Amino acid sequence: MGIVRGTIALIGSGELSGTMVETHKKLLSQSEYKGKSLFLDTPAGFQENVDLIARRAVQYFQDKIGENLEVASFKSIEMANLPEGEKAFHDLSEAGYVLIGPGSPSYTVKNLETSPIPSLLSAMVARGGCLVVASAAALTVGSHTIPVYEIYKVGEKPDWVKGLNILGHLGLEIVVVPHWNNAEGGNHDTRFCYMGEKRFRILETKLPQGATILGLDEHTACILNFSSREAMVEGLGQVTIRRDEEEQHFDRNDRITFDQLQGKPSVTSAKGSTRVEKGVHSEGKAEPETSFWDRLHEIENSFQTALEQNDSAAMATMLLEADRQLWQAQLDLENPEFISQGREIFREMIVLAGTGFELASKVIPRKFNDLVNHMIELREEYRKDKQWIRADQVRSLLQKVGVVLEDTEEGPRWHL
Protein backbone atom coordinates (compact mmCIF):
# COMPACT_ATOMS: atom_id res chain seq x y z
CA MET A 1 0.00 0.00 0.00
CA GLY A 2 1.26 3.50 -0.80
CA ILE A 3 1.40 6.44 1.59
CA VAL A 4 -0.80 5.92 4.65
CA ARG A 5 -2.05 9.17 6.19
CA GLY A 6 -4.56 8.09 8.80
CA THR A 7 -4.76 6.81 12.36
CA ILE A 8 -5.63 3.62 14.21
CA ALA A 9 -6.56 3.87 17.89
CA LEU A 10 -6.12 0.66 19.87
CA ILE A 11 -8.09 0.72 23.15
CA GLY A 12 -7.72 -1.85 25.94
CA SER A 13 -11.28 -1.30 27.22
CA GLY A 14 -13.65 1.52 28.18
CA GLU A 15 -14.17 2.88 24.67
CA LEU A 16 -17.60 4.21 25.71
CA SER A 17 -16.56 5.47 29.14
CA GLY A 18 -15.75 8.94 30.44
CA THR A 19 -12.01 8.22 30.23
CA MET A 20 -12.14 8.11 26.41
CA VAL A 21 -14.29 11.19 25.72
CA GLU A 22 -11.37 13.53 25.03
CA THR A 23 -9.58 10.83 23.04
CA HIS A 24 -12.55 10.44 20.66
CA LYS A 25 -12.86 14.21 20.31
CA LYS A 26 -9.17 14.57 19.50
CA LEU A 27 -9.24 11.73 16.96
CA LEU A 28 -12.26 13.21 15.19
CA SER A 29 -10.75 16.69 15.06
CA GLN A 30 -7.39 15.47 13.78
CA SER A 31 -8.74 13.09 11.14
CA GLU A 32 -7.65 14.22 7.65
CA TYR A 33 -10.57 12.53 5.88
CA LYS A 34 -13.97 13.88 6.96
CA GLY A 35 -16.33 11.08 5.98
CA LYS A 36 -19.16 9.39 7.89
CA SER A 37 -18.69 8.32 11.51
CA LEU A 38 -19.79 4.70 11.92
CA PHE A 39 -20.15 1.96 14.53
CA LEU A 40 -19.57 -1.54 13.13
CA ASP A 41 -21.52 -4.18 15.09
CA THR A 42 -19.90 -7.42 13.84
CA PRO A 43 -18.05 -8.49 17.04
CA ALA A 44 -21.36 -8.71 18.95
CA GLY A 45 -23.40 -9.84 15.94
CA PHE A 46 -24.33 -13.15 17.60
CA GLN A 47 -25.57 -11.51 20.82
CA GLU A 48 -29.25 -10.90 21.51
CA ASN A 49 -28.43 -7.37 22.71
CA VAL A 50 -26.32 -6.37 19.70
CA ASP A 51 -28.72 -3.60 18.68
CA LEU A 52 -28.75 -2.26 22.23
CA ILE A 53 -24.94 -2.10 22.19
CA ALA A 54 -25.06 -0.18 18.91
CA ARG A 55 -27.68 2.27 20.25
CA ARG A 56 -25.57 2.85 23.33
CA ALA A 57 -22.60 3.79 21.14
CA VAL A 58 -24.74 6.17 19.08
CA GLN A 59 -26.13 7.80 22.23
CA TYR A 60 -22.66 8.11 23.78
CA PHE A 61 -21.32 9.95 20.73
CA GLN A 62 -24.35 12.21 20.58
CA ASP A 63 -24.29 13.12 24.28
CA LYS A 64 -20.57 13.07 25.11
CA ILE A 65 -18.76 13.73 21.83
CA GLY A 66 -21.27 15.86 19.94
CA GLU A 67 -20.92 13.67 16.85
CA ASN A 68 -23.55 11.94 14.72
CA LEU A 69 -22.55 8.26 14.80
CA GLU A 70 -24.39 5.89 12.44
CA VAL A 71 -24.54 2.10 12.63
CA ALA A 72 -22.98 0.00 9.87
CA SER A 73 -24.72 -3.29 10.58
CA PHE A 74 -22.94 -6.45 9.42
CA LYS A 75 -23.89 -9.04 12.03
CA SER A 76 -22.58 -12.03 10.07
CA ILE A 77 -21.06 -13.07 6.75
CA GLU A 78 -24.55 -14.25 5.73
CA MET A 79 -25.43 -10.58 5.17
CA ALA A 80 -22.75 -10.19 2.48
CA ASN A 81 -25.14 -10.67 -0.46
CA LEU A 82 -28.14 -9.01 1.16
CA PRO A 83 -29.14 -5.34 0.75
CA GLU A 84 -28.17 -4.67 4.39
CA GLY A 85 -24.68 -5.99 3.74
CA GLU A 86 -24.28 -3.96 0.56
CA LYS A 87 -25.35 -0.86 2.48
CA ALA A 88 -22.74 -1.55 5.15
CA PHE A 89 -20.02 -1.90 2.49
CA HIS A 90 -21.12 1.34 0.82
CA ASP A 91 -21.20 3.26 4.11
CA LEU A 92 -17.75 1.97 5.08
CA SER A 93 -16.37 3.03 1.69
CA GLU A 94 -17.37 6.62 2.56
CA ALA A 95 -16.39 6.53 6.23
CA GLY A 96 -13.84 8.75 7.89
CA TYR A 97 -14.21 7.37 11.43
CA VAL A 98 -15.12 3.79 12.37
CA LEU A 99 -15.52 2.40 15.90
CA ILE A 100 -15.52 -1.37 16.52
CA GLY A 101 -15.80 -2.74 20.03
CA PRO A 102 -16.96 -5.53 22.31
CA GLY A 103 -17.92 -9.09 21.44
CA SER A 104 -16.04 -12.19 20.37
CA PRO A 105 -12.67 -11.87 18.58
CA SER A 106 -12.91 -15.31 16.95
CA TYR A 107 -16.47 -14.58 15.74
CA THR A 108 -15.25 -11.26 14.34
CA VAL A 109 -12.44 -12.90 12.36
CA LYS A 110 -14.69 -15.70 11.10
CA ASN A 111 -17.32 -13.29 9.78
CA LEU A 112 -15.06 -10.56 8.39
CA GLU A 113 -12.04 -12.36 6.93
CA THR A 114 -13.76 -13.26 3.62
CA SER A 115 -15.71 -9.99 3.39
CA PRO A 116 -14.55 -6.69 1.81
CA ILE A 117 -14.60 -5.00 5.23
CA PRO A 118 -10.92 -5.42 6.25
CA SER A 119 -9.84 -3.93 2.91
CA LEU A 120 -12.36 -1.10 3.26
CA LEU A 121 -11.05 -0.27 6.73
CA SER A 122 -7.42 -0.34 5.53
CA ALA A 123 -8.32 1.95 2.63
CA MET A 124 -10.06 4.39 4.99
CA VAL A 125 -6.94 4.65 7.16
CA ALA A 126 -4.75 5.02 4.07
CA ARG A 127 -6.72 8.02 2.83
CA GLY A 128 -6.54 9.77 6.19
CA GLY A 129 -9.42 8.36 8.20
CA CYS A 130 -9.44 6.97 11.72
CA LEU A 131 -10.16 3.38 12.81
CA VAL A 132 -10.89 2.86 16.52
CA VAL A 133 -10.74 -0.76 17.69
CA ALA A 134 -11.36 -1.67 21.32
CA SER A 135 -11.45 -4.80 23.45
CA ALA A 136 -12.45 -7.79 21.26
CA ALA A 137 -11.97 -5.81 18.04
CA ALA A 138 -8.46 -4.74 19.07
CA LEU A 139 -7.49 -8.42 19.30
CA THR A 140 -8.34 -8.98 15.64
CA VAL A 141 -6.34 -6.26 13.87
CA GLY A 142 -2.94 -7.93 14.29
CA SER A 143 -1.43 -11.03 12.71
CA HIS A 144 -2.69 -13.38 15.46
CA THR A 145 -5.85 -13.35 17.61
CA ILE A 146 -6.61 -15.01 20.94
CA PRO A 147 -9.92 -16.96 20.89
CA VAL A 148 -10.67 -15.75 24.41
CA TYR A 149 -14.03 -17.38 25.09
CA GLU A 150 -12.97 -20.75 23.71
CA ILE A 151 -9.92 -20.89 25.98
CA TYR A 152 -11.18 -19.10 29.10
CA LYS A 153 -14.74 -20.47 29.24
CA VAL A 154 -14.82 -23.63 27.12
CA GLY A 155 -11.41 -24.97 28.11
CA GLU A 156 -9.77 -25.37 24.71
CA LYS A 157 -5.98 -25.58 24.70
CA PRO A 158 -4.20 -22.21 24.40
CA ASP A 159 -3.58 -21.39 20.76
CA TRP A 160 -3.96 -18.52 18.33
CA VAL A 161 -6.24 -18.06 15.35
CA LYS A 162 -5.28 -16.05 12.31
CA GLY A 163 -5.97 -12.34 12.72
CA LEU A 164 -7.47 -9.94 10.18
CA ASN A 165 -4.01 -8.32 10.14
CA ILE A 166 -5.23 -4.87 9.13
CA LEU A 167 -2.09 -3.51 10.80
CA GLY A 168 0.09 -5.82 8.72
CA HIS A 169 -1.52 -4.60 5.50
CA LEU A 170 -0.55 -1.08 6.58
CA GLY A 171 3.04 -2.06 7.39
CA LEU A 172 2.92 -2.92 11.11
CA GLU A 173 3.45 -6.58 11.98
CA ILE A 174 2.32 -6.81 15.62
CA VAL A 175 0.01 -8.83 17.86
CA VAL A 176 -2.43 -6.78 19.97
CA VAL A 177 -3.57 -7.98 23.42
CA PRO A 178 -6.12 -5.75 25.26
CA HIS A 179 -7.19 -6.17 28.91
CA TRP A 180 -3.48 -6.59 29.69
CA ASN A 181 -3.89 -5.73 33.39
CA ASN A 182 -7.34 -7.27 33.89
CA ALA A 183 -8.10 -8.19 37.51
CA GLU A 184 -11.70 -9.40 37.29
CA GLY A 185 -10.73 -12.90 38.40
CA GLY A 186 -10.25 -11.75 41.98
CA ASN A 187 -8.91 -15.06 43.32
CA HIS A 188 -7.39 -16.20 40.00
CA ASP A 189 -5.13 -14.64 37.39
CA THR A 190 -6.99 -12.93 34.51
CA ARG A 191 -4.23 -10.68 33.21
CA PHE A 192 -3.29 -10.77 29.53
CA CYS A 193 -6.89 -10.73 28.26
CA TYR A 194 -8.20 -13.32 30.74
CA MET A 195 -5.46 -15.83 29.88
CA GLY A 196 -3.44 -15.52 33.09
CA GLU A 197 0.32 -16.03 33.23
CA LYS A 198 0.39 -19.81 32.76
CA ARG A 199 -1.70 -19.88 29.59
CA PHE A 200 -0.17 -16.69 28.22
CA ARG A 201 3.33 -18.19 28.44
CA ILE A 202 2.11 -21.12 26.35
CA LEU A 203 0.57 -18.76 23.80
CA GLU A 204 3.77 -16.73 23.60
CA THR A 205 5.82 -19.81 22.63
CA LYS A 206 3.49 -20.39 19.67
CA LEU A 207 4.24 -17.03 18.04
CA PRO A 208 7.03 -16.64 15.47
CA GLN A 209 10.38 -15.76 17.01
CA GLY A 210 10.79 -12.01 17.35
CA ALA A 211 7.04 -11.32 17.17
CA THR A 212 5.97 -8.09 18.85
CA ILE A 213 3.13 -8.20 21.37
CA LEU A 214 1.45 -4.87 22.14
CA GLY A 215 -0.30 -5.08 25.53
CA LEU A 216 -3.01 -2.52 26.31
CA ASP A 217 -4.08 -1.86 29.89
CA GLU A 218 -7.78 -1.29 30.48
CA HIS A 219 -9.05 2.27 29.91
CA THR A 220 -5.87 2.93 27.92
CA ALA A 221 -5.36 3.84 24.26
CA CYS A 222 -2.39 3.55 21.93
CA ILE A 223 -2.87 6.00 19.04
CA LEU A 224 -0.99 4.91 15.90
CA ASN A 225 -0.34 7.89 13.61
CA PHE A 226 0.78 6.57 10.24
CA SER A 227 1.75 10.01 8.91
CA SER A 228 4.32 10.63 11.65
CA ARG A 229 5.01 6.89 12.14
CA GLU A 230 4.68 7.40 15.84
CA ALA A 231 2.31 6.18 18.58
CA MET A 232 1.00 8.10 21.60
CA VAL A 233 -0.29 6.61 24.87
CA GLU A 234 -3.48 8.03 26.42
CA GLY A 235 -5.79 7.00 29.25
CA LEU A 236 -5.35 5.61 32.74
CA GLY A 237 -2.87 2.76 32.33
CA GLN A 238 0.21 1.62 30.42
CA VAL A 239 1.08 0.20 27.04
CA THR A 240 3.53 -2.72 27.06
CA ILE A 241 5.73 -3.85 24.18
CA ARG A 242 6.84 -7.44 24.70
CA ARG A 243 9.31 -9.24 22.43
CA ASP A 244 11.58 -12.23 23.11
CA GLU A 245 11.12 -12.05 26.90
CA GLU A 246 11.90 -8.33 26.98
CA GLU A 247 9.37 -5.69 27.91
CA GLN A 248 9.07 -1.93 27.58
CA HIS A 249 6.40 -0.02 29.47
CA PHE A 250 4.95 3.31 28.34
CA ASP A 251 2.82 5.69 30.37
CA ARG A 252 0.32 8.38 29.42
CA ASN A 253 1.74 10.93 26.92
CA ASP A 254 4.75 8.72 26.12
CA ARG A 255 5.59 8.39 22.43
CA ILE A 256 6.67 5.21 20.63
CA THR A 257 8.20 5.13 17.15
CA PHE A 258 6.96 2.56 14.64
CA ASP A 259 10.52 1.25 14.40
CA GLN A 260 10.52 0.67 18.12
CA LEU A 261 7.18 -1.11 17.86
CA GLN A 262 8.71 -3.57 15.42
CA GLY A 263 12.07 -3.94 17.12
CA LYS A 264 14.07 -2.02 14.53
CA PRO A 265 16.87 0.46 15.32
CA SER A 266 15.34 3.92 15.64
CA VAL A 267 17.04 7.27 15.13
CA THR A 268 14.35 8.95 17.23
CA SER A 269 14.55 7.99 20.88
CA ALA A 270 11.14 7.14 22.33
CA LYS A 271 10.34 7.29 26.00
CA GLY A 272 9.67 4.16 28.00
CA SER A 273 11.27 1.99 30.66
CA THR A 274 12.84 -1.32 29.66
CA ARG A 275 13.42 -4.44 31.69
CA VAL A 276 14.40 -7.96 30.68
CA GLU A 277 12.04 -10.62 31.99
CA LYS A 278 11.64 -14.37 31.86
CA GLY A 279 8.01 -15.20 31.11
CA VAL A 280 6.03 -12.29 32.48
CA HIS A 281 7.71 -11.79 35.85
CA SER A 282 11.23 -10.42 36.33
CA GLU A 283 14.03 -12.60 37.65
CA GLY A 284 16.17 -10.80 40.20
CA LYS A 285 15.68 -7.36 41.66
CA ALA A 286 17.61 -4.33 40.55
CA GLU A 287 16.05 -2.29 43.34
CA PRO A 288 14.42 -3.20 46.67
CA GLU A 289 10.73 -3.93 46.21
CA THR A 290 8.21 -1.59 47.77
CA SER A 291 6.24 -3.49 50.41
CA PHE A 292 2.54 -4.14 49.99
CA TRP A 293 1.65 -1.68 52.75
CA ASP A 294 4.04 1.04 51.54
CA ARG A 295 2.57 0.88 48.05
CA LEU A 296 -1.02 0.82 49.31
CA HIS A 297 -0.38 3.87 51.49
CA GLU A 298 1.24 5.68 48.53
CA ILE A 299 -1.91 4.98 46.51
CA GLU A 300 -4.11 6.13 49.40
CA ASN A 301 -2.17 9.42 49.69
CA SER A 302 -2.30 10.02 45.92
CA PHE A 303 -6.03 9.31 45.98
CA GLN A 304 -6.53 11.83 48.79
CA THR A 305 -4.64 14.47 46.83
CA ALA A 306 -6.76 13.79 43.74
CA LEU A 307 -9.93 14.02 45.86
CA GLU A 308 -8.88 17.39 47.28
CA GLN A 309 -8.13 18.65 43.77
CA ASN A 310 -11.40 17.26 42.40
CA ASP A 311 -9.39 15.27 39.80
CA SER A 312 -11.74 12.44 38.79
CA ALA A 313 -9.29 10.85 36.30
CA ALA A 314 -6.53 10.62 38.92
CA MET A 315 -9.00 9.20 41.46
CA ALA A 316 -10.07 6.51 39.00
CA THR A 317 -6.42 5.66 38.29
CA MET A 318 -5.68 5.22 42.00
CA LEU A 319 -8.77 3.05 42.53
CA LEU A 320 -7.74 0.80 39.65
CA GLU A 321 -4.19 0.63 40.98
CA ALA A 322 -5.40 -0.24 44.49
CA ASP A 323 -7.52 -3.03 43.03
CA ARG A 324 -4.50 -4.32 41.09
CA GLN A 325 -2.27 -4.24 44.18
CA LEU A 326 -4.80 -6.23 46.21
CA TRP A 327 -5.14 -8.80 43.45
CA GLN A 328 -1.34 -9.07 43.14
CA ALA A 329 -1.05 -9.50 46.90
CA GLN A 330 -3.32 -12.54 46.67
CA LEU A 331 -1.13 -14.05 43.94
CA ASP A 332 1.96 -13.39 46.07
CA LEU A 333 0.31 -15.18 49.03
CA GLU A 334 0.44 -12.06 51.17
CA ASN A 335 -0.81 -12.33 54.74
CA PRO A 336 -4.65 -12.73 54.51
CA GLU A 337 -5.08 -10.30 57.40
CA PHE A 338 -3.09 -7.66 55.50
CA ILE A 339 -5.23 -8.21 52.41
CA SER A 340 -8.40 -7.89 54.49
CA GLN A 341 -7.19 -4.61 55.97
CA GLY A 342 -6.16 -3.45 52.51
CA ARG A 343 -9.66 -4.12 51.21
CA GLU A 344 -11.05 -1.94 54.02
CA ILE A 345 -8.86 0.91 52.79
CA PHE A 346 -9.98 0.24 49.22
CA ARG A 347 -13.67 0.32 50.19
CA GLU A 348 -13.10 3.53 52.13
CA MET A 349 -11.55 5.08 49.01
CA ILE A 350 -14.63 4.10 46.99
CA VAL A 351 -16.93 5.68 49.60
CA LEU A 352 -14.80 8.84 49.66
CA ALA A 353 -14.97 9.03 45.87
CA GLY A 354 -18.76 9.13 46.07
CA THR A 355 -19.17 11.33 49.11
CA GLY A 356 -16.36 13.62 47.99
CA PHE A 357 -18.18 14.45 44.78
CA GLU A 358 -21.43 14.82 46.74
CA LEU A 359 -19.68 17.34 48.97
CA ALA A 360 -18.33 19.13 45.91
CA SER A 361 -21.86 19.32 44.49
CA LYS A 362 -22.87 21.20 47.65
CA VAL A 363 -19.77 23.37 48.01
CA ILE A 364 -19.46 24.47 44.39
CA PRO A 365 -22.95 26.08 44.15
CA ARG A 366 -22.29 27.95 47.41
CA LYS A 367 -18.96 29.20 46.11
CA PHE A 368 -20.60 30.09 42.80
CA ASN A 369 -23.20 32.17 44.61
CA ASP A 370 -20.46 33.99 46.52
CA LEU A 371 -18.56 34.66 43.30
CA VAL A 372 -21.63 36.08 41.54
CA ASN A 373 -22.46 38.33 44.50
CA HIS A 374 -18.88 39.63 44.63
CA MET A 375 -18.97 40.37 40.89
CA ILE A 376 -22.26 42.26 41.31
CA GLU A 377 -20.69 44.30 44.12
CA LEU A 378 -17.75 45.09 41.81
CA ARG A 379 -20.17 46.15 39.08
CA GLU A 380 -21.99 48.48 41.51
CA GLU A 381 -18.67 50.13 42.43
CA TYR A 382 -17.93 50.69 38.72
CA ARG A 383 -21.37 52.22 38.24
CA LYS A 384 -20.90 54.58 41.21
CA ASP A 385 -17.61 55.70 39.68
CA LYS A 386 -19.39 56.04 36.30
CA GLN A 387 -17.08 53.46 34.73
CA TRP A 388 -19.89 52.25 32.49
CA ILE A 389 -17.74 50.19 30.11
CA ARG A 390 -16.27 48.11 32.93
CA ALA A 391 -19.69 47.71 34.54
CA ASP A 392 -21.06 46.39 31.23
CA GLN A 393 -18.10 44.01 30.94
CA VAL A 394 -18.96 42.47 34.30
CA ARG A 395 -22.59 42.07 33.25
CA SER A 396 -21.47 40.47 29.98
CA LEU A 397 -19.25 37.97 31.81
CA LEU A 398 -22.15 36.98 34.05
CA GLN A 399 -24.39 36.50 31.04
CA LYS A 400 -21.85 34.16 29.43
CA VAL A 401 -22.22 31.73 32.35
CA GLY A 402 -26.01 31.95 32.38
CA VAL A 403 -26.52 34.60 35.08
CA VAL A 404 -29.43 36.95 34.35
CA LEU A 405 -28.92 40.29 36.12
CA GLU A 406 -31.83 42.65 36.76
CA ASP A 407 -31.52 46.21 38.11
CA THR A 408 -34.47 47.01 40.39
CA GLU A 409 -35.36 49.86 42.74
CA GLU A 410 -34.28 47.68 45.66
CA GLY A 411 -30.95 46.96 43.97
CA PRO A 412 -29.59 44.36 41.57
CA ARG A 413 -31.09 40.86 41.55
CA TRP A 414 -29.90 37.77 39.68
CA HIS A 415 -31.04 34.29 38.71
CA LEU A 416 -29.82 31.48 36.43
Side-chain angles (χ1 to χ4, degrees):
M1 186 170 289
I3 297 174
V4 181
R5 303 198 307 272
T7 302
I8 294 182
L10 308 168
I11 301 179
S13 74
E15 66 278 6
L16 298 180
S17 70
T19 56
M20 287 297 140
V21 169
E22 294 306 316
T23 297
H24 285 300
K25 287 181 178 180
K26 184 188 300 183
L27 291 170
L28 281 162
S29 66
Q30 294 177 350
S31 179
E32 288 189 20
Y33 184 81
K34 304 299 182 183
K36 290 183 176 181
S37 295
L38 301 174
F39 177 81
L40 180 62
D41 63 2
T42 309
F46 64 98
Q47 297 178 204
E48 291 295 326
N49 66 338
V50 58
D51 292 332
L52 180 62
I53 292 172
R55 287 198 297 272
R56 180 183 172 223
V58 170
Q59 194 68 44
Y60 172 88
F61 267 70
Q62 179 180 323
D63 294 345
K64 305 293 186 182
I65 315 298
E67 176 75 9
N68 180 32
L69 186 73
E70 300 178 24
V71 179
S73 187
F74 191 78
K75 295 184 175 69
S76 75
I77 190 62
E78 296 172 359
M79 295 179 65
N81 296 318
L82 299 177
E84 296 93 329
E86 292 296 331
K87 182 180 186 305
F89 300 154
H90 178 266
D91 287 344
L92 288 167
S93 70
E94 297 182 343
Y97 193 90
V98 176
L99 169 63
I100 320 176
S104 164
S106 54
Y107 180 89
T108 304
V109 171
K110 179 181 177 181
N111 286 276
L112 290 186
E113 61 183 349
T114 58
S115 80
I117 290 179
S119 296
L120 289 170
L121 296 175
S122 298
M124 178 192 68
V125 176
R127 64 177 176 260
C130 178
L131 172 63
V132 183
V133 285
S135 191
L139 271 164
T140 69
V141 295
S143 58
H144 296 68
T145 297
I146 300 174
V148 178
Y149 184 86
E150 291 84 342
I151 298 172
Y152 183 56
K153 292 290 187 181
V154 180
E156 293 186 6
K157 292 182 179 180
D159 208 346
W160 303 87
V161 297
K162 183 181 178 182
L164 297 175
N165 207 20
I166 292 172
L167 292 172
H169 296 151
L170 297 171
L172 272 179
E173 293 291 343
I174 59 177
V175 177
V176 181
V177 181
H179 300 284
W180 187 259
N181 65 336
N182 182 271
E184 290 178 26
N187 59 1
H188 66 281
D189 188 356
T190 52
R191 290 171 298 165
F192 320 119
C193 203
Y194 303 93
M195 293 298 97
E197 180 179 350
K198 182 179 178 181
R199 283 180 294 208
F200 190 74
R201 281 184 172 182
I202 297 171
L203 285 167
E204 194 172 24
T205 64
K206 296 189 175 187
L207 288 174
Q209 187 174 4
T212 297
I213 298 173
L214 185 69
L216 302 163
D217 281 359
E218 297 182 333
H219 291 273
T220 304
C222 183
I223 315 299
L224 305 172
N225 188 314
F226 285 83
S227 291
S228 64
R229 295 189 60 78
E230 194 174 58
M232 169 74 83
V233 180
E234 296 192 1
L236 301 181
Q238 289 186 326
V239 166
T240 299
I241 297 176
R242 182 165 176 80
R243 184 187 304 109
D244 294 334
E245 298 189 351
E246 181 176 317
E247 286 189 0
Q248 285 183 288
H249 303 274
F250 299 86
D251 296 312
R252 183 179 181 181
N253 295 327
D254 282 352
R255 296 180 181 274
I256 315 167
T257 66
F258 277 20
D259 285 342
Q260 190 172 9
L261 273 175
Q262 300 181 100
K264 299 176 182 178
S266 177
V267 176
T268 304
S269 175
K271 293 176 66 178
S273 58
T274 306
R275 71 172 185 267
V276 178
E277 298 186 342
K278 183 178 179 180
V280 287
H281 286 307
S282 58
E283 295 282 316
K285 301 172 185 176
E287 297 177 0
E289 283 191 0
T290 304
S291 74
F292 167 70
W293 275 117
D294 287 344
R295 181 59 186 139
L296 200 61
H297 285 312
E298 287 176 3
I299 293 168
E300 186 181 18
N301 291 335
S302 297
F303 174 86
Q304 189 64 43
T305 301
L307 180 64
E308 292 169 359
Q309 296 175 350
N310 205 33
D311 188 341
S312 58
M315 288 168 60
T317 300
M318 289 304 103
L319 287 170
L320 290 170
E321 180 62 14
D323 181 62
R324 191 185 73 80
Q325 287 292 326
L326 289 165
W327 167 81
Q328 186 63 51
Q330 286 185 312
L331 288 182
D332 295 341
L333 302 179
E334 183 64 78
N335 186 318
E337 182 61 28
F338 288 177
I339 294 175
S340 178
Q341 293 176 26
R343 290 199 180 281
E344 288 299 322
I345 293 175
F346 181 50
R347 283 192 285 269
E348 184 179 346
M349 289 166 61
I350 293 173
V351 171
L352 283 172
T355 57
F357 276 113
E358 183 181 352
L359 178 62
S361 68
K362 296 176 181 177
V363 171
I364 290 173
R366 186 171 66 246
K367 296 294 185 182
F368 180 79
N369 289 346
D370 292 343
L371 178 62
V372 172
N373 288 330
H374 286 313
M375 290 189 71
I376 291 174
E377 289 175 5
L378 177 62
R379 176 174 175 265
E380 288 302 295
E381 290 180 10
Y382 285 146
R383 294 179 71 191
K384 288 177 182 177
D385 294 339
K386 297 184 179 180
Q387 298 184 49
W388 309 117
I389 294 177
R390 290 189 175 182
D392 288 342
Q393 287 174 337
V394 173
R395 185 183 192 119
S396 178
L397 285 172
L398 291 170
Q399 286 176 339
K400 286 182 179 179
V401 296
V403 175
V404 178
L405 186 60
E406 298 174 349
D407 292 314
T408 70
E409 294 181 357
E410 292 79 20
R413 293 178 181 175
W414 67 274
H415 64 271
L416 292 174

